[in-house]
Amino acid sequence: MSTEPLPTHDTDLVAVDTTKPTSPDADGFAPIIVKVGPGGGRTQRFTGRQVGESRRATRKAIETVRVYLTRKGNFLVHKQTAAWSDYNELGDWTEDWKNWRSILGKSEQSWGDYTTEVVDSLDALRPLVSPKVHLMVVDRVQHPRNHDLDV
Protein backbone atom coordinates (compact mmCIF):
# COMPACT_ATOMS: atom_id res chain seq x y z
CA MET A 1 0.00 0.00 0.00
CA SER A 2 1.37 3.39 -0.99
CA THR A 3 1.86 6.11 1.59
CA GLU A 4 2.00 8.91 -0.99
CA PRO A 5 -0.49 11.75 -0.41
CA LEU A 6 -3.45 11.92 -2.73
CA PRO A 7 -3.19 14.54 -5.50
CA THR A 8 -5.15 17.71 -4.85
CA HIS A 9 -5.29 19.28 -8.34
CA ASP A 10 -8.70 20.00 -9.87
CA THR A 11 -7.82 18.00 -12.98
CA ASP A 12 -7.03 14.80 -11.05
CA LEU A 13 -9.56 11.96 -11.01
CA VAL A 14 -11.45 11.31 -7.80
CA ALA A 15 -13.02 7.98 -6.86
CA VAL A 16 -16.76 8.22 -6.34
CA ASP A 17 -18.87 5.55 -4.66
CA THR A 18 -21.80 5.04 -7.05
CA THR A 19 -23.29 2.14 -5.12
CA LYS A 20 -24.96 4.46 -2.61
CA PRO A 21 -26.68 7.37 -4.34
CA THR A 22 -27.26 10.20 -1.90
CA SER A 23 -29.39 12.57 -3.93
CA PRO A 24 -32.49 12.13 -6.06
CA ASP A 25 -32.02 11.22 -9.70
CA ALA A 26 -33.66 13.11 -12.57
CA ASP A 27 -37.05 11.50 -11.83
CA GLY A 28 -36.84 12.35 -8.13
CA PHE A 29 -36.19 8.78 -7.02
CA ALA A 30 -33.80 8.31 -4.11
CA PRO A 31 -33.02 5.67 -1.49
CA ILE A 32 -35.66 5.68 1.27
CA ILE A 33 -35.50 3.93 4.63
CA VAL A 34 -38.68 3.54 6.70
CA LYS A 35 -39.24 2.14 10.19
CA VAL A 36 -41.44 -0.95 10.54
CA GLY A 37 -42.89 -3.05 13.32
CA PRO A 38 -43.91 -2.35 16.91
CA GLY A 39 -41.93 0.63 18.11
CA GLY A 40 -40.17 0.96 14.77
CA GLY A 41 -37.31 -1.32 15.76
CA ARG A 42 -36.68 -2.58 12.22
CA THR A 43 -36.24 -0.81 8.88
CA GLN A 44 -37.06 -1.44 5.24
CA ARG A 45 -35.20 0.16 2.35
CA PHE A 46 -36.30 0.86 -1.24
CA THR A 47 -35.88 3.39 -4.03
CA GLY A 48 -38.76 5.77 -4.58
CA ARG A 49 -40.18 9.24 -4.09
CA GLN A 50 -42.88 10.52 -1.78
CA VAL A 51 -46.14 11.40 -3.54
CA GLY A 52 -48.53 11.95 -0.63
CA GLU A 53 -48.78 12.48 3.12
CA SER A 54 -51.42 13.07 5.77
CA ARG A 55 -51.67 13.31 9.55
CA ARG A 56 -54.74 12.72 11.61
CA ALA A 57 -55.08 13.17 15.35
CA THR A 58 -57.92 11.55 17.26
CA ARG A 59 -58.61 11.09 20.95
CA LYS A 60 -56.80 7.76 20.82
CA ALA A 61 -53.83 8.27 18.47
CA ILE A 62 -51.97 10.22 15.83
CA GLU A 63 -51.79 8.49 12.46
CA THR A 64 -49.27 9.55 9.85
CA VAL A 65 -49.61 8.10 6.36
CA ARG A 66 -46.99 8.55 3.66
CA VAL A 67 -47.33 7.23 0.13
CA TYR A 68 -44.30 6.58 -2.04
CA LEU A 69 -44.04 5.76 -5.74
CA THR A 70 -41.39 3.06 -6.10
CA ARG A 71 -38.89 2.72 -8.92
CA LYS A 72 -40.88 -0.30 -10.22
CA GLY A 73 -44.12 1.71 -10.38
CA ASN A 74 -45.76 0.31 -7.23
CA PHE A 75 -47.14 2.36 -4.34
CA LEU A 76 -45.76 1.82 -0.86
CA VAL A 77 -48.02 3.00 1.97
CA HIS A 78 -46.13 3.66 5.20
CA LYS A 79 -48.35 4.14 8.27
CA GLN A 80 -47.30 5.20 11.72
CA THR A 81 -49.84 4.93 14.50
CA ALA A 82 -48.82 6.58 17.75
CA ALA A 83 -51.35 5.86 20.50
CA TRP A 84 -51.58 8.48 23.23
CA SER A 85 -51.63 5.69 25.83
CA ASP A 86 -48.21 4.52 24.60
CA TYR A 87 -46.74 7.98 25.08
CA ASN A 88 -47.33 7.76 28.83
CA GLU A 89 -45.15 4.65 28.98
CA LEU A 90 -42.17 6.40 27.39
CA GLY A 91 -41.21 8.32 30.51
CA ASP A 92 -41.72 11.74 31.99
CA TRP A 93 -42.74 13.98 29.09
CA THR A 94 -42.40 17.06 31.28
CA GLU A 95 -38.63 16.66 31.12
CA ASP A 96 -38.77 17.07 27.36
CA TRP A 97 -41.29 19.92 27.11
CA LYS A 98 -39.25 21.54 24.34
CA ASN A 99 -40.29 18.65 22.09
CA TRP A 100 -43.97 19.67 22.15
CA ARG A 101 -44.13 19.81 18.34
CA SER A 102 -43.56 16.06 18.03
CA ILE A 103 -46.12 15.37 20.77
CA LEU A 104 -48.76 17.22 18.75
CA GLY A 105 -47.75 15.66 15.44
CA LYS A 106 -46.10 18.80 14.05
CA SER A 107 -42.82 17.02 13.43
CA GLU A 108 -41.59 13.46 13.22
CA GLN A 109 -42.74 11.34 16.17
CA SER A 110 -40.31 8.65 17.15
CA TRP A 111 -42.83 6.50 19.00
CA GLY A 112 -45.61 4.28 17.74
CA ASP A 113 -46.15 1.27 15.54
CA TYR A 114 -45.20 1.23 11.86
CA THR A 115 -46.54 -0.76 8.90
CA THR A 116 -45.90 -0.86 5.17
CA GLU A 117 -48.08 -2.17 2.40
CA VAL A 118 -47.26 -2.31 -1.29
CA VAL A 119 -49.94 -2.14 -3.99
CA ASP A 120 -49.60 -2.07 -7.75
CA SER A 121 -52.29 0.39 -8.84
CA LEU A 122 -54.13 3.57 -7.93
CA ASP A 123 -57.35 1.55 -7.55
CA ALA A 124 -55.69 -0.78 -5.02
CA LEU A 125 -54.36 2.29 -3.18
CA ARG A 126 -57.82 3.86 -2.71
CA PRO A 127 -58.97 1.84 0.36
CA LEU A 128 -55.63 2.34 2.15
CA VAL A 129 -55.60 6.15 2.24
CA SER A 130 -58.03 9.03 2.71
CA PRO A 131 -59.82 10.43 -0.38
CA LYS A 132 -57.75 13.62 -0.13
CA VAL A 133 -54.44 11.72 -0.13
CA HIS A 134 -55.65 9.52 -3.00
CA LEU A 135 -56.48 12.62 -5.05
CA MET A 136 -53.05 14.07 -4.23
CA VAL A 137 -51.29 10.89 -5.36
CA VAL A 138 -53.34 10.64 -8.58
CA ASP A 139 -52.48 14.25 -9.44
CA ARG A 140 -48.76 13.78 -8.77
CA VAL A 141 -48.57 10.53 -10.72
CA GLN A 142 -50.57 11.64 -13.76
CA HIS A 143 -48.84 14.99 -14.24
CA PRO A 144 -45.17 15.85 -14.75
CA ARG A 145 -43.20 16.72 -11.62
CA ASN A 146 -42.05 19.97 -13.20
CA HIS A 147 -43.80 21.83 -15.95
CA ASP A 148 -42.06 24.70 -17.66
CA LEU A 149 -44.52 27.34 -18.79
CA ASP A 150 -43.77 29.31 -21.92
CA VAL A 151 -45.36 32.58 -20.83
Side-chain angles (χ1 to χ4, degrees):
M1 180 174 219
S2 173
T3 59
E4 296 178 13
L6 293 174
T8 58
H9 303 291
D10 290 337
T11 58
D12 294 330
L13 296 176
V14 177
V16 177
D17 183 2
T18 58
T19 60
K20 298 179 183 177
T22 57
S23 61
D25 63 14
D27 295 327
F29 292 100
I32 297 172
I33 298 173
V34 295
K35 295 178 181 182
V36 293
R42 297 178 290 121
T43 61
Q44 292 179 339
R45 181 176 38 194
F46 62 97
T47 301
R49 66 180 164 101
Q50 187 173 333
V51 291
E53 180 175 352
S54 71
R55 283 193 175 94
R56 183 177 69 137
T58 66
R59 290 178 185 247
K60 293 184 179 185
I62 296 174
E63 182 180 73
T64 303
V65 177
R66 291 183 180 91
V67 180
Y68 300 91
L69 177 62
T70 70
R71 168 76 67 203
K72 293 183 177 182
N74 296 318
F75 297 96
L76 184 137
V77 179
H78 181 247
K79 290 186 179 182
Q80 175 189 9
T81 304
W84 293 114
S85 60
D86 291 343
Y87 189 74
N88 292 335
E89 296 175 8
L90 298 176
D92 185 8
W93 64 271
T94 58
E95 291 179 11
D96 195 21
W97 65 271
K98 291 180 183 179
N99 199 17
W100 64 271
R101 292 179 61 81
S102 69
I103 295 170
L104 298 176
K106 298 296 184 187
S107 65
E108 188 68 31
Q109 298 103 284
S110 59
W111 48 284
D113 298 325
Y114 301 79
T115 62
T116 59
E117 189 166 345
V118 178
V119 295
D120 60 0
S121 69
L122 290 169
D123 287 335
L125 178 66
R126 187 182 309 272
L128 301 178
V129 297
S130 70
K132 185 174 183 176
V133 171
H134 189 265
L135 182 63
M136 181 188 314
V137 171
V138 168
D139 181 65
R140 291 180 180 175
V141 169
Q142 293 180 347
H143 296 92
R145 288 188 66 232
N146 297 306
H147 186 95
D148 295 325
L149 299 177
D150 186 21
V151 295

